[in-house]
Amino acid sequence: MTPVNHRVKHKSTIPANSGTEIELFVREYKADGSGGTRKPVLMLHGRSVPALPCFDLVRPAQGGSPHPDASYSWAQTLASKGYDVYIMDLQGSGLSPRPEMHDPCNANPAPAQRGLLKTNPGTEDCDSTANYKSQLGNSKSEWGELGTVVKFIRKRCDNEKVAFIGWSAAAFVMGPYALQNPEHVASMFLLAPMFPPKGRWSKNPSDPFAPPPGTPLPDEAVSEPAAVFGFPMNLTSKAAFHAVIPDKDLADDVWQAVMDCDSIGQKWGGSTPGAPEGVMRWRNTYWWGWNTSTVPHGSALGNAVPVCIVYGDEDRTANTPEEMGDVLHFSVPKLYEGIPGADKLMFRVEGWDHNPVWERKPNQILQHMSWKWLKDQRVYGVESGSWVMDPDGVLEEVAPVPPPGD
């Protein structure tokens, strides 16, 4: 299956290049076969890993022969089922522009991160703060980039609504976009969605998606707090990345796919001068508008936009303790509970963590679940409710949470 890569023009609202026409990277796989109604799907990455290693990973050949587990490509599987599949990178990730991220002195100044660049390319001349003293993007800029790509897809697909598939922090972008633009969205399939029940929002019911009080302003000398938002770029080392993928051969292939998306990051990192091992560069952004106060907006989710959620019972990234505070406490079940409509379905899968995309059996299960959801809005014979799935695929329904006072 041959991909077609697009460069979708967008007028940037990221402060680092505001008003500039940039090109967002979008990969397309056309549906197998022809004729009939177009069925577009858009896949969006999370906070740190770019889109192609997430959704279009193809393992390299071994000794001239195809790898026995050659394709982990979720995108190609859905295209083979009759969908026009699009994969996008937001600015600051993958093959889309990364303004201000070329400068090693703009990496997170924390010693554990800035220190990754001490040898390659060298940060001895960097100050204790970043040269560009602001986060890269924010919710509004990322909703705008997603909207530009949605319009591009609808124009190519006979104006059909677009089904969303998002992993992890993609929920911060796809969720509020769908709430504000349900007329463009056919449905959502969210894997391990990040959802802070008491996260940032404007606290204005008439304008819930406005920037909240205290939003760091890029035109200030330093975005506050500087230790969190006073720089545009975070880093992940090869060793830290490998630690989250149990299959080390697969981890090597995923890491190489990340490096293939970053001509600068692949030349950084490592402790041997002139022999970089690479670092994963990812955008520092400021999100708002996604919590239990905003999810009911317009009653869109679960009604105009049906939602399917899948997450692992061992996922400690998308589910964190309340003691973490309003911004860092995440809860997948509370997202499900907050969706107002009845067209919602959730699976908690036993034995899965935050990264099932990079495990062979979970990857195949995910591909099947998303296909059935897109095709029938039904998975394993159920179309609504909250379910637990054991390692053998046996389902058990979770009793609804009673209203307060019952």
Side-chain angles (χ1 to χ4, degrees):
M1 188 172 290
T2 303
V4 177
N5 293 335
H6 302 280
R7 297 288 178 176
V8 178
K9 295 186 183 301
H10 172 75
K11 188 173 182 179
S12 180
T13 59
I14 283 182
N17 59 2
S18 182
T20 302
E21 185 177 76
I22 57 93
E23 295 180 331
L24 297 168
F25 174 80
V26 176
R27 173 166 288 181
E28 174 189 10
Y29 284 102
K30 282 190 174 295
D32 280 358
S34 59
T37 302
R38 308 294 291 274
K39 295 179 289 186
V41 176
L42 175 58
M43 310 184 85
L44 181 64
H45 59 86
R47 181 183 64 161
S48 55
V49 184
L52 296 186
C54 298
F55 303 119
D56 196 26
L57 179 68
V58 178
R59 305 187 71 178
Q62 296 180 325
S65 300
H67 194 287
D69 285 333
S71 180
Y72 275 67
S73 177
W74 192 347
Q76 293 185 44
T77 295
L78 292 179
S80 73
K81 301 290 187 182
Y83 295 89
D84 290 347
V85 181
Y86 296 82
I87 313 167
M88 73 170 290
D89 279 319
L90 295 164
Q91 283 197 88
S93 185
L95 295 168
S96 284
R98 303 190 192 215
E100 299 295 341
M101 291 175 64
H102 62 283
D103 182 354
C105 294
N106 282 336
N108 185 332
Q113 290 211 24
R114 185 72 68 74
L116 296 175
L117 308 182
K118 184 177 180 180
T119 302
N120 298 304
T123 52
E124 63 276 359
D125 294 330
C126 297
D127 295 334
S128 59
T129 59
N131 286 339
Y132 179 78
K133 296 175 175 59
S134 171
Q135 79 284 354
L136 189 68
N138 56 50
S139 285
K140 186 175 180 180
S141 68
E142 294 186 354
W143 299 336
E145 291 173 20
L146 178 62
T148 290
V149 174
V150 168
K151 290 177 183 177
F152 169 80
I153 294 169
R154 295 196 72 184
K155 186 175 181 180
R156 293 177 62 82
C157 294
D158 305 324
N159 206 37
E160 290 294 321
K161 292 183 178 182
V162 180
F164 283 175
I165 293 179
W167 182 8
S168 188
F172 277 109
V173 186
M174 286 182 153
Y177 178 87
L179 289 169
Q180 297 171 82
N181 304 278
E183 69 277 9
H184 296 315
V185 185
S187 66
M188 286 204 297
F189 183 96
L190 300 176
L191 169 63
M194 306 296 285
F195 180 76
K198 297 181 180 180
R200 306 181 191 98
W201 73 300
S202 68
K203 299 183 180 180
N204 180 357
S206 65
D207 192 9
F209 303 105
T215 297
L217 300 176
D219 56 356
E220 295 177 343
V222 178
S223 283
E224 296 291 345
V228 180
F229 296 110
F231 53 89
M233 170 176 57
N234 287 291
L235 307 172
T236 298
S237 69
K238 182 178 181 179
F241 188 85
H242 271 57
V244 304
I245 303 178
D247 182 335
K248 297 311 173 187
D249 289 336
L250 176 60
D252 285 337
D253 293 340
V254 179
W255 181 256
Q256 186 57 54
V258 172
M259 294 296 97
D260 289 344
C261 294
D262 190 354
S263 60
I264 291 178
Q266 63 185 244
K267 298 174 184 176
W268 289 1
S271 58
T272 303
E277 66 177 17
V279 294
M280 182 169 69
R281 303 181 303 148
W282 44 282
R283 73 201 191 284
N284 187 18
T285 194
Y286 186 89
W287 289 309
W288 67 78
W290 184 233
N291 60 29
T292 53
S293 297
T294 62
V295 161
H297 180 75
S299 297
L301 298 189
N303 289 305
V305 182
V307 181
C308 182
I309 299 168
V310 180
Y311 75 104
D313 70 337
E314 297 181 4
D315 187 341
R316 302 295 180 263
T317 300
N319 292 286
T320 57
E322 290 189 35
E323 291 75 16
M324 297 287 287
D326 291 351
V327 174
L328 296 178
H329 166 49
F330 303 116
S331 172
V332 178
K334 289 180 182 178
L335 169 58
Y336 175 82
E337 293 166 14
I339 294 172
D343 290 338
K344 60 180 181 178
L345 178 61
M346 183 169 71
F347 295 93
R348 184 175 81 242
V349 186
E350 293 181 348
W352 285 16
D353 61 12
H354 195 64
N355 303 303
V357 165
W358 298 317
E359 295 183 53
R360 187 54 176 160
K361 184 176 179 181
N363 178 276
Q364 292 175 327
I365 292 171
L366 273 172
Q367 293 180 12
H368 178 78
M369 293 175 83
S370 64
W371 168 53
K372 296 300 290 183
W373 172 251
L374 292 171
K375 180 175 179 286
D376 304 320
Q377 285 185 19
R378 177 188 293 263
V379 181
Y380 297 131
V382 297
E383 58 186 20
S384 63
S386 176
W387 301 80
V388 175
M389 187 170 78
D390 73 11
D392 296 321
V394 177
L395 298 181
E396 180 179 351
E397 189 167 13
V398 178
V401 177
D406 281 15

